[in-house]
Amino acid sequence: MDTVILQSFRQHAVPDWITRCMRSVQDWAEAQGYRYEFVDDSLFEYVPRNLREKPRRSILPLTDLARLGLLRDRLLRFERAVWMDADVLVFRPHLLRLPLQAGAMLCHEIWAGLDRQGALTLDRRINNAVMIFERDHPLPGFLHYAATELYSQLDTTAIPPAALGTGFLSRLGQLLPLRVFHQVACLSPVLLDALVHHRHPERLAAHAEHYGFPFHAANLCRSLHDDALDDTHMCYVVDLLLDNHGALVSPLPTSTAS
């Protein structure tokens, strides 16, 4: 199937770990025989000017809208278009595979957080760090329409950063049987902290068990980092995941290699 893998990021002051993440995706895509395309800030040209000029609290909802516009455009030229966030790291490229005849898939998420008592919480969600759409499937058109209407009507100076992403998609998934891709997990700051400081391995184990599937790449959640996670920490995380092929976050069952 004629496939394009799409990523976007700014072209100035790019953190080294982001460059390495994108390179891991590009190398994987080329090994699979897919077309790889990087889009810079011209991504926002896929949003009407009147929406781009609205005052906003966060750029993330605008990015969520723009990526849907880009995907719809590329589906005019390719049989399948796949979006991957710039902070997705592929650490098992030999195992990461796009399903055949997926139709439309979003990304499975188990979000690891902490409650007020410091206990681990694990919440099931759907995100758009990875989106897989095949030509003529109705979902990308619907999502683009819905996101455009929401961004047009809502107060963009007040909506949460994930309003058109994880928030919207998780609620939609409670109403519609959305298909989700299980091979790319979301590593929250709680899990990244465990990796960086070599503590709370039980949190990593609990997330992997609750996730329910081996995963071969991870979204490293750049937009949610605080001052406790800097670029040096994230370079260390990238090194760690690549060196052990993700074994610390997603042990492979001994009986299978997929």
Side-chain angles (χ1 to χ4, degrees), residues 19-29 88-91 93 242:
T19 299
R20 294 175 66 192
C21 285
M22 290 193 292
R23 187 182 305 125
S24 77
V25 171
Q26 182 175 3
D27 290 347
W28 165 78
V88 168
L89 178 72
V90 180
F91 48 76
L242 291 177

Side-chain angles (χ1 to χ4, degrees), residues 103-161:
M105 300 184 81
L106 301 168
C107 198
H108 176 57
E109 175 182 314
I110 298 296
W111 180 259
L114 299 175
D115 64 17
R116 292 182 179 179
Q117 288 72 44
L120 185 68
T121 60
L122 296 166
D123 298 319
R124 187 176 303 275
R125 302 177 183 177
I126 298 173
N127 69 53
N128 58 351
V130 177
M131 294 184 284
I132 305 169
F133 295 138
E134 293 176 8
R135 183 185 293 166
D136 297 329
H137 196 283
L139 186 61
F142 167 75
L143 292 179
H144 186 254
Y145 166 78
T148 300
E149 288 298 301
L150 287 168
Y151 201 85
S152 299
Q153 300 300 323
L154 295 177
D155 179 0
T156 50
T157 64
I159 61 174

Side-chain angles (χ1 to χ4, degrees), residues 32-52:
Q32 295 295 313
Y34 302 145
R35 167 81 175 271
Y36 176 85
E37 182 179 352
F38 171 82
V39 181
D40 57 18
D41 283 343
S42 62
L43 174 72
F44 296 105
E45 295 174 6
Y46 291 93
V47 178
R49 180 181 295 275
N50 65 309
L51 298 186
R52 295 201 306 266

